[in-house]
Amino acid sequence: MMKLATFMKQVADRLQMGGNFGTAHVYRSSLNAIIAFHGNEDLAFREVTPEWLKGFEIHLRSRGCSWNTVSTYLRTLRAVYNRAVDSRKAPYVPYLFRSVYTGTKADHRRALNDEDIKKVFTKLPGTFANIPVLRRTQDLFVLMFLLRGLPFVDLAYLRKSDLRDNVLTYRRRKTGRPLSVTLTPEAMSILNRYVNRNSTSPYLFPLLTSREGTREAYREYQMALRSFNRQLMLLGEILGLGDRLSSYSARHTWATTAYYCEIHPGIISEAMGHSSITVTETYLKPFRNKKIDEANKRVIDYVKRFVSGLIC
């Protein structure tokens, strides 16, 4: 039977050849984590036992990995194992991954609070307003929010042909789900400021130059994302935000704002192109208790309005 590292490398290579550079990167990162735990000697699939998996999980946590990173590595390993079983390169073991964590935790609060939203959506103060890169960073962040929490990867790969009048139609890079967004006047105003003026480029924004699906385009996207996040961190410091600003913040902030506006999680899920409502609930989980507390206070305040001398 084929061994784990050899098979996993083959899967990553095939993913890369198919243009799935991001997924291939995750597979290689997971393989590197396995090698760091087990050593350079290749591991037979039959050696991947519940005990081995638990040891791998403990090793990852001891290295300071978040639960979401642990889950990513273990889910990737499970996907490789399932492929190997399907191709008869590994024995099938029922419930092999039952005792390790493969879920998703809301480790950090990525959504902005009301005060920080106000700062981000307000014109930059003083001389900072005259720094083009900061204004562009702020504008693109606001645009991502206005486009229902559009992820940066989708923003980067948008094509001019995706825009018809004021309607943007595209497919999520992550899930492949088709989405259609009607742009508000505010969103159109920002889009018109930064639209790609190069008539030979198919991209809506000048973030990429290489042909879609190539390794060069993926590298350009990674560089653009790193640069955008660095500028967002600087913007957050200038504005004195309570939490770190990142490209994820726009998406999480839109979801939680929609939730506080009493929009049903099912509608939020559809609006964001999530693969399931479970993903949406992960976004909203940290804010549910706060909303429940607010609901409880409203109930108590209602009772206090007509009950005199409330026992307390």
Side-chain angles (χ1 to χ4, degrees):
M1 292 235 175
M2 185 172 285
K3 297 200 170 182
L4 172 61
T6 303
F7 185 74
M8 201 165 181
K9 187 175 184 306
Q10 288 180 1
V11 174
D13 290 344
R14 283 197 295 271
L15 286 166
Q16 183 165 308
M17 287 173 63
N20 298 304
F21 299 103
T23 308
H25 176 73
V26 172
Y27 274 60
R28 291 201 174 96
S29 296
S30 303
L31 177 56
N32 289 337
I34 290 167
I35 291 170
F37 170 60
H38 183 74
N40 288 321
E41 185 180 348
D42 209 343
L43 179 72
F45 276 104
R46 58 180 168 73
E47 296 178 78
V48 180
T49 62
E51 294 75 21
W52 186 92
L53 288 168
K54 180 53 74 173
F56 182 44
E57 179 187 69
I58 292 168
H59 162 78
L60 292 172
R61 288 294 290 166
S62 70
R63 289 179 57 202
C65 293
S66 70
W67 278 114
N68 283 344
T69 300
V70 170
S71 176
T72 297
Y73 288 155
L74 286 167
R75 282 186 284 115
T76 304
L77 177 54
R78 183 175 61 189
V80 169
Y81 163 74
N82 288 337
R83 282 179 184 243
V85 170
D86 290 343
S87 57
R88 300 181 183 279
K89 289 180 170 63
Y92 173 65
V93 180
Y95 311 117
L96 181 59
F97 288 79
R98 175 180 275 183
S99 63
V100 290
Y101 184 71
T102 55
T104 306
K105 288 181 183 288
D107 284 342
H108 303 286
R109 187 169 75 84
R110 289 170 169 169
L112 302 177
N113 59 35
D114 291 348
E115 196 60 38
D116 284 350
I117 291 174
K118 193 184 301 181
K119 291 176 182 176
V120 171
F121 277 67
T122 303
K123 188 176 178 181
L124 283 169
T127 56
F128 295 116
N130 299 320
I131 302 175
V133 68
L134 280 180
R135 175 148 183 221
R136 175 178 174 272
T137 299
Q138 182 188 32
D139 283 347
L140 289 182
F141 181 89
V142 172
L143 179 62
M144 288 160 63
F145 177 90
L146 295 175
L147 298 179
R148 304 196 313 233
L150 180 78
F152 185 80
V153 64
D154 291 337
L155 181 81
Y157 281 97
L158 284 175
R159 304 175 78 84
K160 292 173 181 175
S161 57
D162 293 335
L163 183 65
R164 287 284 179 271
D165 296 324
N166 68 332
V167 178
L168 192 61
T169 305
Y170 69 99
R171 283 188 179 272
R172 286 270 344 258
R173 300 286 299 183
K174 186 174 181 180
T175 63
R177 292 191 66 175
L179 291 176
S180 180
V181 186
T182 300
L183 277 69
T184 63
E186 296 84 358
M188 280 300 296
S189 175
I190 297 174
L191 185 147
N192 287 330
R193 280 204 292 275
Y194 299 102
V195 69
N196 198 341
R197 310 292 177 189
N198 182 353
S199 60
T200 64
S201 173
Y203 297 113
L204 186 60
F205 295 101
L207 297 169
L208 307 176
T209 58
S210 298
R211 183 169 55 85
E212 185 175 356
T214 62
R215 182 183 294 185
E216 290 74 18
Y218 179 66
R219 284 176 179 162
E220 287 173 2
Y221 155 68
Q222 285 188 310
M223 289 174 62
L225 176 62
R226 281 195 291 268
S227 175
F228 186 57
N229 276 323
R230 280 197 299 269
Q231 293 302 325
L232 283 174
M233 283 183 65
L234 177 59
L235 180 65
E237 290 170 7
I238 289 168
L239 297 175
L241 303 186
D243 287 290
R244 198 183 76 156
L245 197 61
S246 79
S247 58
Y248 284 106
S249 304
R251 190 160 177 80
H252 284 253
T253 302
W254 190 91
T256 53
T257 303
Y259 183 60
Y260 278 120
C261 291
E262 306 292 340
I263 297 171
H264 190 277
I267 300 296
I268 298 173
S269 181
E270 286 289 325
M272 302 183 77
H274 283 157
S275 56
S276 73
I277 196 170
T278 305
V279 179
T280 312
E281 287 170 345
T282 301
Y283 277 55
L284 305 177
K285 200 180 297 180
F287 302 88
R288 282 224 168 118
N289 285 342
K290 182 180 177 184
K291 192 165 186 184
I292 291 167
D293 287 341
E294 289 172 355
N296 184 46
K297 186 176 184 302
R298 291 209 318 260
V299 170
I300 293 170
D301 288 344
Y302 174 79
V303 172
K304 284 164 70 176
R305 281 200 296 271
F306 65 85
V307 175
S308 59
L310 183 68
I311 298 170
C312 58

